[in-house]
Amino acid sequence: MHQPSHDRIPEIALEWHRSGGSALAMVVDTWGSAPRPAGSQLAVSHAGAFEGSVSGGCVEGAVVTEAVAAIGSGCPVMLEFGVADEDAFAVGLACGGRIRVLVDPVGGRKGIPEEVLADLVRMRAERRPAALLIHTCNWEHRLSDDTGDGCGQAVSERMRQDRSGMEGDWFVNIHNPPLRLIIVGGAHIAQPLVAMARQAGYDPFLVDPRQGFATRERFPDTRISHDWPDEAIAAESPDSRTAVVTLTHDPKIDDPAIVATLATDAFYLGCLGSKTTHRMRLDRLRLQGMEDVGTARIHAPVGLDIGARSPSEIAIAIMGEITRALRQAGAGA
């Protein structure tokens, strides 16, 4: 997967640490209309370079200054910014709310040990869910991928909700596997959809046995499979962090993809086509033994009803519906 830099903050922090020193800054608490949620991260190098965001630009300058100092001292520091402060406008948090930011030097006397960060990077590369646990009193650091370390059942629940935050004195920073979007059919809609999915943090995977549609020229820097969709989807093993969209209008291609997806834990399945097309699709699936309780998972016609007409507008509608399924229904989130 080619991850955007804003999705590689732990990896960047490890690289910068090994080339001179770095710190991880993490939002641990928010109140009111804070611009970024708990778990948002910023990597800072010893030279003051930074990647990521803890406030959408509001307090980054102040955090970078404190991070460079923490790299030198080797000790974590907890920062708090709020609109009630006299210097609220100076740090840019004039939109209201408060945030608390933990600045954690890598490899420092009390900061996150290099081996813990390296293990986190390895778990992320292996698509394994991980929680970085930091005790904000004694600065103990540990990793958990289950329910038994540090905060018990709370870790599992936060992983399910994809929600970092404080549990007593522990800060639980959730690192779930990257989201995936399997797109069946290299149609014109697929081109803006791939780009939008990538910007939204998804790893797009294009499946189309018609080699003239799924080409490197039309889909640069994209994983492509020319296998039949049922085979490609089975090999990809969709999980609760995976969405699937079919775009071909060809039952020989779309139907096997639908059947294969409904046998998985994919949190979203959307299919292009009109209401009439979908009724015909359901009839075909029933003849294959699919029950209505299963096919009820299908979102069709695909996408939010926003009056979309152009390929880009349809892609926006699709990503909007996928986002709603992920964030509001709680599946995979």
Side-chain angles (χ1 to χ4, degrees):
M1 173 185 179
H2 174 71
Q3 288 178 286
S5 58
H6 63 266
D7 292 327
R8 298 187 61 254
I9 302 308
E11 290 78 7
I12 291 170
L14 184 61
E15 293 166 6
W16 283 351
H17 166 69
R18 290 172 173 172
S19 62
S22 71
L24 269 174
M26 296 160 278
V27 177
V28 300
D29 269 323
T30 65
W31 300 267
S33 57
R36 295 282 285 151
S40 300
Q41 300 178 95
L42 184 75
V44 182
S45 78
H46 69 288
F50 65 92
E51 190 69 57
S53 174
V54 291
S55 70
C58 292
V59 304
E60 267 70 7
V63 172
V64 168
T65 298
E66 293 287 350
V68 171
I71 293 168
S73 71
C75 295
V77 60
M78 192 74 76
L79 309 174
E80 187 169 326
F81 303 96
V83 73
D85 299 338
E86 288 185 4
D87 60 349
F89 282 92
V91 298
L93 201 64
C95 52
R98 288 186 294 148
I99 62 172
R100 196 154 60 112
V101 179
L102 169 60
V103 177
D104 202 5
V106 181
R109 291 188 294 115
K110 295 185 178 181
I112 179 171
E114 178 182 350
E115 58 269 23
V116 172
L117 182 57
D119 285 344
L120 173 62
V121 168
R122 181 165 51 252
M123 292 175 73
R124 284 165 54 90
E126 295 171 353
R127 289 189 58 87
R128 294 169 54 197
L132 172 62
L133 309 178
I134 305 171
H135 197 283
T136 57
C137 294
N138 62 18
W139 302 120
E140 179 185 353
H141 294 73
R142 63 174 69 170
L143 286 173
S144 174
D145 60 0
D146 201 358
T147 62
D149 288 339
C151 303
Q153 183 64 31
V155 173
S156 178
E157 183 64 16
R158 285 189 175 277
M159 283 181 173
R160 189 189 68 81
Q161 296 180 354
D162 208 4
R163 183 170 58 87
S164 301
M166 294 296 299
E167 294 288 343
D169 292 328
W170 288 93
F171 172 54
V172 183
N173 194 5
I174 299 300
H175 294 262
N176 273 321
L179 294 158
R180 290 182 291 175
L181 175 59
I182 301 174
I183 301 170
V184 179
H188 55 306
I189 298 169
Q191 291 176 293
L193 183 58
V194 163
M196 292 178 191
R198 188 173 287 124
Q199 285 298 312
Y202 287 74
D203 176 12
F205 176 47
L206 179 64
V207 180
D208 198 325
R210 305 167 301 178
Q211 298 193 15
F213 284 80
T215 66
R216 297 294 177 191
E217 291 74 22
R218 299 184 70 228
F219 298 94
D221 301 319
T222 302
R223 292 193 302 131
I224 295 173
S225 171
H226 293 126
D227 293 336
W228 280 96
D230 52 346
E231 298 172 357
I233 289 172
E236 191 71 1
S237 299
D239 55 19
S240 61
R241 303 277 294 170
T242 307
V244 180
V245 175
T246 68
L247 300 176
T248 73
H249 281 298
D250 186 342
K252 296 192 303 295
I253 298 175
D254 283 357
D255 287 4
I258 294 168
V259 172
T261 300
L262 290 176
T264 74
D265 292 330
F267 74 87
Y268 175 90
L269 170 59
C271 302
L272 188 68
S274 66
K275 292 180 180 179
T276 299
T277 297
H278 186 53
R279 284 196 296 270
M280 296 170 62
R281 176 188 294 127
L282 293 178
D283 289 340
R284 292 194 306 271
L285 293 173
R286 291 189 190 100
L287 290 175
Q288 296 182 55
M290 299 296 297
E291 298 182 358
D292 291 348
V293 66
T295 56
R297 292 172 55 190
I298 302 172
H299 295 262
V302 68
L304 298 177
D305 185 5
I306 59 174
R309 298 179 63 183
S310 71
S312 293
E313 289 174 347
I314 295 171
I316 290 170
I318 292 172
M319 286 309 305
E321 188 171 60
I322 290 172
T323 302
R324 183 175 67 182
L326 176 72
R327 299 303 180 195
Q328 292 186 5

